Amino acid sequence: MTARILIAEDHPASLELLRYLLAANGYDILSAEDGEAALDLARRDTPDLIICDLQMPKKNGYEVVRQLKSEPALSAIPVVAVTAFSMIGDREQVLAAGFDGYLSKPIEPEEFVALIEQYLPLSLRKQHGGR
């Protein structure tokens, strides 16, 4: 079984990099360029993991995670924030808002997939936790 990962990211280059890295490692990728589209895709396709930028049009990442966690059918899906706005206290604020994890941009391509896989059940990990 292959994990389905939803990437919610409005910056085309960032979206393409994340999509490439995950697809190259065998994951099925869904992508949305704004928060409303991300919620629609999550409701329709129920991904195994959601990677969500904090700053997006229509609904920001905080609004997206709040909505996801309030819907019983979606609340168990892990949601990882990926953002360029990295300041002291951001990680705590993001986790307190309901995100399951936090990664700051720029991402490290060599480490990204292994970091993301930590949020997937072991049976869905392509690298099975190994680097």
Side-chain angles (χ1 to χ4, degrees):
M1 190 166 154
T2 299
R4 180 181 296 151
I5 300 174
L6 169 58
I7 304 168
E9 168 65 71
D10 66 318
H11 187 265
S14 295
L15 175 59
E16 193 54 41
L17 176 61
L18 300 181
R19 182 189 294 137
Y20 170 78
L21 291 171
L22 292 166
N25 281 276
Y27 292 106
D28 288 337
I29 307 302
L30 304 166
S31 59
E33 294 182 6
D34 65 63
E36 285 182 7
L39 287 168
D40 290 344
L41 276 171
R43 290 179 184 118
R44 189 185 77 208
D45 295 319
T46 317
D48 299 296
L49 175 66
I50 299 171
I51 299 168
C52 188
D53 186 19
L54 293 180
Q55 304 294 319
M56 291 184 295
K58 299 189 180 175
K59 288 190 184 292
N60 67 35
Y62 291 106
E63 293 169 307
V64 170
V65 79
R66 192 175 312 117
Q67 189 78 42
L68 289 167
K69 297 302 182 180
S70 73
E71 296 183 26
L74 305 175
S75 63
I77 300 171
V79 186
V80 179
V82 179
T83 183
F85 297 98
S86 300
M87 295 169 54
I88 294 173
D90 279 357
R91 180 180 196 81
E92 292 73 21
Q93 181 180 347
V94 164
L95 296 177
F99 285 92
D100 299 281
Y102 172 88
L103 297 174
S104 60
K105 294 178 191 171
I107 64 160
E108 296 293 331
E110 303 79 23
E111 300 173 8
F112 176 73
V113 174
L115 291 171
I116 286 299
E117 284 186 330
Q118 295 174 33
Y119 300 97
L120 287 170
L122 202 55
S123 62
L124 293 177
R125 296 179 191 180
K126 294 296 180 181
Q127 298 179 11
H128 295 286
R131 277 193 183 191

